[in-house]
Amino acid sequence: MEIRYDSPRYPSKQPPMRIRVLVFARLRELLDGGERSLRLPEGASVEDAWDALVAEFPAIAQERRCTRVARNGRLGSFDDGLNDGDELALLPPVGGG
Amino acid sequence: MEIRYDSPRYPSKQPPMRIRVLVFARLRELLDGGERSLRLPEGASVEDAWDALVAEFPAIAQERRCTRVARNGRLGSFDDGLNDGDELALLPPVGGG
Amino acid sequence: MFSITTESIEPRALEEIVRTGDGGVVTFLGVVRDEADGRRVSGLSYEAFEPMAVREFEAIAREARDRFGDVRIAIVHRIGELSAGEISVAVLASAAHRGTAFDACRYAIDELKRRAPIWKKERYADGGSEWRAGGA
Amino acid sequence: MFSITTESIEPRALEEIVRTGDGGVVTFLGVVRDEADGRRVSGLSYEAFEPMAVREFEAIAREARDRFGDVRIAIVHRIGELSAGEISVAVLASAAHRGTAFDACRYAIDELKRRAPIWKKERYADGGSEWRAGGA
């Protein structure tokens, strides 16, 4: 599945970035699948990616508070900017062991 | 082997007690064997048993300070009295594991 | 040895990291319990963000060496469907002396539970299921 | 399971005490080192006052339960001739939660070394041998 999202803040004059989104556990269930591709305008942040997902899956909105993000396998923050081709993992509270 | 020991303090008017002595590790080597039988006069203590062994194996004298004793499988002291048929174990400093 | 596996965990396999000269080997096995908070658990499923989880295992092992000294660590976590009594995670720490091995093993499992990207869903005998966070 | 054995120790055998509901199993293995205080060790021999050692293992396990709560403990110590890399002792502690299992396992091996009537003689590669006390 691919969601195309044109942020009002970032009118899509440039070719959009493609972001690979991985979600796990509860978020995977709410998004009905573990992996998807997002198209976001150049300059979009992790926050923008999240908002794009919330637009399609409103049920995840309340998960925001306890979700951590990893960009290309490294922990990051919702403020981080994204680059074309980034892998963005959305991590609910962990509980291994 | 059986050592008969008539303590000057306890002249042997009564039939002597028979004590089974177990020794381990360095003491076993110094006594050239792990188990022996001692005959001691009625009323003898662990200390008397030790002295009887020292009389035959002077090399153990210096081990006294760090030897612990167990009577019938329970830790005891050199002051404990012995009873006929007791098992007396002489335990050098332990080092299992 | 740091891995995520779908196969049943064989604890002795972790011993391959033990080196001549190591005198103390401490192993932690996490075993699936049959109850949680008083509810009967009929099964568990684990999932992991595998490459990041493995990197986190490696980072935890490095930290343990920085904190406790020379120690070898292996961590294997199972994912998929597990039932009560099965091993979900094995952590082995091997060092010259036992204090180091105990400290490193405990640090590793505590940190793994706290921060490795692994998730556990409990299925209850009375129906229902729940994602559990903050590994107790 | 508390025993002294002349056979090689199979750590997994100790797992028989793990009970349904136990979520954390901690095992300590003592392994014969190939050096001690800088001397190369060619072999070890252990001896034990067996009945008293086994009773001491039982007492240590009772104390661990008093201190740390509900926990199952197994202790097996090998005696006889051992060479480097062989397991001399295995201690397993199994409890509902891992903190209890870690504490109990560490207590048990520390106390075993401190007070169980077991002795170790090191044989050195350069000749000579020595009874070692106060298990390091």
Side-chain angles (χ1 to χ4, degrees):
Chain A
M1 174 182 2
E2 184 168 307
I3 305 173
R4 183 165 172 151
Y5 174 64
D6 295 310
S7 163
R9 280 184 277 165
Y10 304 101
S12 55
K13 283 171 189 154
Q14 295 177 297
M17 303 186 292
R18 186 174 298 219
I19 306 297
R20 185 166 163 247
V21 178
L22 305 176
V23 290
F24 299 91
R26 173 192 297 282
L27 284 176
R28 177 180 53 70
E29 292 177 341
L30 291 171
L31 265 69
D32 203 25
E35 184 171 345
R36 66 194 56 235
S37 178
L38 273 187
R39 291 188 150 239
L40 294 171
E42 191 74 21
S45 67
V46 172
E47 192 77 58
D48 294 320
W50 178 263
D51 290 343
L53 293 168
V54 171
E56 201 187 357
F57 303 98
I60 70 169
Q62 67 188 46
E63 307 296 324
R64 165 73 169 77
R65 191 178 49 81
C66 57
T67 296
R68 292 190 308 161
V69 302
R71 255 192 338 125
N72 302 323
R74 305 264 159 217
L75 284 179
S77 91
F78 279 86
D79 297 332
D80 290 350
L82 291 167
N83 296 314
D84 187 41
D86 274 358
E87 174 200 87
L88 172 63
L90 301 172
L91 314 173
V94 301
Chain B
M1 171 181 6
E2 185 168 307
I3 306 173
R4 183 162 171 153
Y5 175 65
D6 295 309
S7 162
R9 280 183 278 165
Y10 304 100
S12 56
K13 285 171 185 151
Q14 293 177 302
M17 303 187 293
R18 185 173 300 219
I19 306 297
R20 185 168 163 245
V21 178
L22 305 177
V23 290
F24 299 91
R26 173 191 296 283
L27 284 177
R28 177 179 54 69
E29 292 177 341
L30 292 170
L31 265 69
D32 203 25
E35 183 171 345
R36 65 196 55 237
S37 178
L38 272 189
R39 291 186 150 240
L40 293 171
E42 192 74 22
S45 67
V46 172
E47 192 76 59
D48 295 320
W50 177 263
D51 291 342
L53 293 168
V54 171
E56 200 185 0
F57 304 98
I60 70 169
Q62 68 189 46
E63 306 296 325
R64 165 73 169 76
R65 189 178 50 81
C66 57
T67 296
R68 293 191 307 161
V69 302
R71 253 189 343 120
N72 302 321
R74 306 264 159 217
L75 284 180
S77 90
F78 279 86
D79 299 331
D80 291 349
L82 291 167
N83 295 314
D84 188 40
D86 274 359
E87 175 200 87
L88 173 62
L90 301 171
L91 314 175
V94 302
Chain C
M1 183 195 294
F2 302 102
S3 66
I4 300 289
T5 179
T6 57
E7 309 283 310
S8 125
I9 292 176
E10 174 42 67
R12 298 224 60 181
L14 281 72
E15 290 176 18
E16 79 169 41
I17 65 162
V18 177
R19 214 169 55 181
T20 306
D22 287 351
V25 178
V26 175
T27 306
F28 172 79
L29 302 178
V31 179
V32 176
R33 301 185 62 202
D34 60 352
E35 69 93 29
D37 303 337
R39 294 175 83 177
R40 260 189 59 76
V41 172
S42 56
L44 280 185
S45 59
Y46 282 94
E47 64 184 75
F49 182 15
E50 181 166 339
M52 194 179 171
V54 170
R55 275 204 308 277
E56 203 71 37
F57 295 170
E58 291 164 350
I60 290 167
R62 273 194 306 274
E63 292 163 16
R65 280 192 295 276
D66 290 345
R67 284 169 182 247
F68 307 114
D70 187 32
V71 57
R72 281 143 291 296
I73 294 179
I75 304 176
V76 179
H77 201 299
R78 189 167 164 197
I79 55 172
E81 303 294 314
L82 277 76
S83 43
E86 289 194 284
I87 298 170
S88 56
V89 60
V91 177
L92 181 146
S94 181
H97 300 291
R98 70 185 183 285
T100 311
F102 269 108
D103 288 341
C105 187
R106 192 162 191 167
Y107 178 81
I109 183 63
D110 286 353
E111 290 299 302
L112 180 155
K113 287 181 178 251
R114 202 173 67 75
R115 63 192 231 212
I118 300 174
W119 297 270
K120 168 167 67 179
K121 187 177 201 169
E122 289 174 351
R123 288 187 306 280
Y124 304 105
D126 59 12
S129 61
E130 206 174 299
W131 291 101
R132 297 288 295 227
Chain D
M1 182 195 292
F2 303 101
S3 66
I4 300 289
T5 179
T6 56
E7 310 283 310
S8 123
I9 292 176
E10 174 42 66
R12 297 225 60 181
L14 281 73
E15 290 175 18
E16 78 167 43
I17 65 161
V18 177
R19 215 169 55 181
T20 307
D22 287 350
V25 177
V26 174
T27 306
F28 172 80
L29 302 179
V31 179
V32 176
R33 301 185 62 203
D34 60 351
E35 70 94 29
D37 302 337
R39 294 174 82 176
R40 261 190 58 76
V41 172
S42 56
L44 280 185
S45 60
Y46 283 95
E47 63 183 76
F49 182 15
E50 180 167 340
M52 194 178 171
V54 170
R55 276 204 307 278
E56 204 71 38
F57 295 170
E58 291 165 349
I60 289 167
R62 274 195 304 276
E63 292 162 16
R65 280 191 295 276
D66 290 345
R67 284 169 182 247
F68 308 113
D70 187 32
V71 57
R72 279 143 293 295
I73 294 179
I75 304 176
V76 178
H77 202 298
R78 188 166 165 198
I79 54 172
E81 303 294 313
L82 277 76
S83 42
E86 290 194 283
I87 298 170
S88 57
V89 61
V91 177
L92 181 147
S94 181
H97 300 291
R98 72 184 182 285
T100 311
F102 269 109
D103 289 341
C105 186
R106 191 161 191 169
Y107 178 80
I109 184 61
D110 286 353
E111 290 298 303
L112 180 154
K113 287 181 177 251
R114 203 172 66 76
R115 64 192 231 212
I118 300 174
W119 297 271
K120 167 167 68 177
K121 186 177 201 169
E122 289 174 351
R123 288 187 307 279
Y124 304 104
D126 59 12
S129 61
E130 206 174 299
W131 290 100
R132 298 288 296 225

